[in-house]
Amino acid sequence: MSDRSQLLATGKSFAFDAETDAEFERLAARYPIRESMIMPALWLAQQQQGWISAETIEYVAERVGTYPAKVFELATFYTMYHLRPVGTYHICVCRTLSCYLRDKQEIVDFLADEAGIRPGQVSDDGRFSLEEVECLGHCGSAPVVQINGEFYEDMNVEKLRALLTTLA
Ligand code: FES
């Protein structure tokens, strides 16, 4: 599992581009308390940059008018926020009980063999990254894999191998 308590600093400041800034302001108008925009702002930042850096945390805190520690707490709690650069295809494997009991480890081991990645790593060619996450909410069809936000249920090694060949 990746270490979610350590942020990476890029040494470069972060700021929303014009399009993202406009979307931020559009959403912010819906919230009577600007601090409530922490999670949407983190999401917008991730859509723009691909991941959340230490500088992103500082920027979001400034934009929503709060402390960086509050932004840090949310960014590190929710695995939907990437705290490291991820691959073109970010693969999340659920590790919670139903998926654990239905052999999620076979999928994790397959990805180590096939793509050379362990949880928290990006493949050498940058195509794939892997993360083990808590329950994805589809426990009845475990084991569950999520790739770039798309859910794949009742997965096994054969299905995943076939799926990976369809990814450009
Ligand atoms: S336990 Fe895996 S989706 Fe809920």
Side-chain angles (χ1 to χ4, degrees):
M1 180 185 152
S2 59
D3 183 352
R4 299 191 64 81
S5 65
Q6 297 290 318
L7 290 176
L8 276 183
T10 64
K12 290 184 264 178
S13 62
F14 173 86
F16 288 151
D17 59 26
E19 185 181 343
T20 304
D21 192 63
E23 181 64 3
F24 172 83
E25 292 299 340
R26 189 185 71 78
L27 292 173
R30 297 179 179 177
Y31 293 84
I33 300 170
R34 202 162 173 95
E35 196 176 301
S36 302
M37 274 295 292
I38 293 175
M39 291 184 68
L42 282 169
W43 187 252
L44 289 172
Q46 181 165 284
Q47 285 184 311
Q48 179 181 313
Q49 182 173 248
W51 61 291
I52 304 294
S53 64
E55 291 85 356
T56 313
I57 299 282
E58 298 277 345
Y59 178 77
V60 167
E62 185 185 319
R63 289 301 302 268
V64 306
T66 191
Y67 300 104
K70 282 193 176 179
V71 181
F72 174 84
E73 284 174 356
L74 288 166
T76 54
F77 181 80
Y78 291 102
T79 53
M80 66 184 185
Y81 298 121
H82 308 316
L83 303 180
R84 298 280 185 280
V86 296
T88 305
Y89 298 100
H90 184 60
I91 304 170
C92 296
V93 178
C94 174
R95 65 177 179 187
T96 309
L97 189 61
S98 297
C99 294
Y100 178 86
L101 293 174
R102 298 211 60 212
D103 295 330
K104 68 87 186 167
Q105 192 59 42
E106 285 186 5
I107 291 171
V108 172
D109 292 342
F110 165 75
L111 287 167
D113 294 340
E114 189 76 8
I117 46 172
R118 291 278 175 198
Q121 296 180 339
V122 180
S123 61
D124 289 343
D125 61 5
R127 290 188 74 217
F128 299 107
S129 51
L130 174 61
E131 186 171 14
E132 285 192 292
V133 297
E134 304 305 330
C135 181
L136 287 167
H138 294 248
C139 322
S141 48
V144 179
V145 172
Q146 191 186 42
I147 304 178
N148 290 359
E150 292 288 324
F151 286 96
Y152 300 92
E153 304 176 26
D154 196 21
M155 287 301 283
N156 56 40
V157 166
E158 290 70 33
K159 288 181 181 176
L160 186 57
R161 180 183 284 116
L163 177 61
L164 293 184
T165 63
T166 68
L167 302 177

